[in-house]
Structure formats: structure tokens, C-alpha cells
Amino acid sequence: MARFTKFIVGAAGIALALTGCASNTTNSPSPSTDDTVTTVKAGYLTMCSDSPYPPFEYEDDTTATGYTGFDVDIMSAIASQLGLKLSVIDTDFSALQSGLALASGSCDVGGSAITITDERKANIDFSDPYYDSLQSLLVPVGSSIKALADTAGKKIGVQTGTTGETYTEQNAPSSASIVTFPSDGEMWPALQAGQVDALLQDYPVNNQHVKDNSSYVIVEKYQTDEQYGFAVAKGKNPALLAAINSGLADLRSSGDYQTIYDKYFS
């Protein structure tokens, strides 16, 4: 791995994220309406998610949860199968991918375009994969950057703790500066303001930015063979994990998965 100059921009503390989540939960798991699945808040399936990360999760005050997106719609459908309502808590991604938010009992499930990796499996139990993804490089239209190789001496924005950050560290020129952000909610404005020269992150998210603003373009995509999974606390809720997997299978067989997919990706 090459050496890089690395800047840290506005990282949210894990302890703060967990404190914010705790006020929305009970002190101990309460039985849900299902005989086998237990949840941290009676009558609800609570999902921790790092928002905004469109089109997977972003705020929408017209919905019951206050959020919408592919992850939100999929998990809302699974909650309904269990006779539960979905509750969404905005949580720092580092606390999600490390398993801390789940282990603390802040939420039942993590849903935030979380790539399944062997490292994360050490701290998280993952559902069956529900989305195949890849990485990409986003730049302003007219940029001299046409590929990752052109970022020598440039600033590349990445999200802390993500596979996009890892890919950038392993593949960008050694003179590139990696600027880390806690979420896309800070990365995207930084690119628009010219504080970074490019963003390297999951293709669907960069593609959403292109759809929303034609002044930006994806110049490269990287086949990283990534798959997203929903996360539950390691070894603590096998019944919920089984219910999520069963729910995903039911959504696929009924055609509801395809309907939700087409809503965000067609």
C-alpha cells in the first residue's frame, strides 16, 4: 500500500452517536408481536442507518419514519411481515460497521448500504446479500481527472470506515491526498464547494448525484464484487437474522423486491 497524506474532516464521535440512539430505546429488549423475535422497542423494528446516503436512506418528512430510500423500504416491508412498525435512527457509519451500535442495544438492525466483508463479520452477523454494488469516481464536468491515475496531487473525498476508503488507499497515486468525511452528507457539499477534487464511493450514490446535478460526471467504475447485507448484533439475535433472511426471500418471490428496486434504480 502506498503512503498517503490524509486529512480528517468533521468526524462524529461514536460515543455521541450511541448516546443519541439510546434515548429512543428501552433499557432491555422487549418482546415483539412475534413469539421468537425480540426487539429493543416493543411494537417496533428499530433500524440504525447513516443518513443521508441516497438512494439508500435519506430524510423524508412525508413518511412515518421520517426517512425513505431503498434500505428503508426493504426493511419497512420486513417489519410489516413481522407485525411491527419500522423506526429509523440516524447513526454514525463507524458505529454501524464496527458493530458498536448493535452491540450496545441502540437498534435491532443496521441498514446503511453495509458491504459484507470478512473483517466486519468478526463483529456483525450479516443477512443474506440484498444488493450488488461497485465503487466509482465522481468529478465535476470538465475536470482534468479522467481516471483514478489522474488524481496525483489532488484531493479525493472518501467516507470514513467504508470500502471506498479502503479502495482509495490501495489504488490511488501515492501523492494523492485522501480527505475523510463522516458521511456523504459532508462529502457531496465539499466537492461542490471545491474543497476536494473527486469523490470515490459506492456507484449508486455517486450516480444519484449525477442524476440530481448534471454538472458532475462519473469517470470510472471499479468492479469490487461488493454485496450489501443488513446487520444484527453478533450472536445475540439469531431469530431476527432468520426472520430478515426469510423476509428477503419472500420479497423476492412475491415480486415486491423488484418493485422497490425499480423505484430507486430503474
Side-chain angles (χ1 to χ4, degrees), residues 28-254:
S28 60
S30 302
S32 75
T33 55
D34 184 273
D35 290 337
T36 56
V37 175
T38 59
T39 60
V40 297
K41 183 178 180 181
Y44 287 84
L45 182 64
T46 303
M47 181 173 80
C48 281
S49 187
D50 180 25
S51 181
Y53 203 64
F56 295 96
E57 41 268 334
Y58 51 97
E59 292 185 12
D60 182 352
D61 59 12
T62 67
T63 68
T65 63
Y67 294 87
T68 193
F70 184 67
D71 289 346
V72 178
D73 285 9
I74 291 290
M75 194 49 60
S76 180
I78 292 174
S80 181
Q81 291 172 353
L82 294 171
L84 303 169
K85 295 179 180 180
L86 183 68
S87 174
V88 180
I89 298 174
D90 189 14
T91 306
D92 184 81
F93 188 76
S94 293
L96 279 174
Q97 64 91 26
S98 67
L100 289 177
L102 295 159
S104 71
S106 299
C107 47
D108 303 301
V109 59
S112 194
I114 307 172
T115 299
I116 301 169
T117 68
D118 289 339
E119 181 180 7
R120 290 171 180 169
K121 284 181 180 178
N123 301 306
I124 292 171
D125 284 336
F126 277 105
S127 72
D128 294 335
Y130 69 92
Y131 186 87
D132 297 338
S133 188
L134 60 162
Q135 297 295 319
S136 63
L137 188 67
L138 179 72
V139 301
V141 170
S143 170
S144 62
I145 299 172
K146 307 301 180 186
L148 189 57
D150 299 329
T151 58
K154 304 291 187 180
K155 294 180 179 179
I156 310 170
V158 300
Q159 184 177 358
T160 302
T162 62
T163 50
E165 179 184 28
T166 301
Y167 187 90
T168 306
E169 290 175 340
Q170 294 175 346
N171 294 281
S174 60
S175 62
S177 298
I178 300 177
V179 185
T180 62
F181 298 86
S183 75
D184 180 70
E186 292 79 24
M187 289 170 59
W188 173 229
L191 180 64
Q192 294 175 297
Q195 296 171 357
V196 294
D197 302 293
L199 299 183
L200 200 155
Q201 64 175 337
D202 292 1
Y203 170 74
V205 182
N206 274 343
N207 191 49
Q208 187 65 47
H209 292 321
V210 172
K211 289 181 179 179
D212 294 339
N213 192 326
S214 60
S215 297
Y216 295 84
V217 62
I218 292 172
V219 291
E220 270 192 329
K221 292 184 287 187
Y222 313 109
Q223 295 290 343
T224 50
D225 298 323
E226 296 184 40
Q227 293 183 307
Y228 298 160
F230 292 109
V232 300
K234 184 72 175 179
K236 290 187 176 181
N237 207 335
L240 176 58
L241 186 63
I244 292 172
N245 287 335
S246 177
L248 287 171
D250 288 346
L251 290 174
R252 290 185 186 277
S253 63
S254 69

Side-chain angles (χ1 to χ4, degrees), residues 249-262:
D250 288 346
L251 290 174
R252 290 185 186 277
S253 63
S254 69
D256 290 341
Y257 175 94
Q258 190 64 49
T259 299
I260 297 171
Y261 182 94
D262 290 344

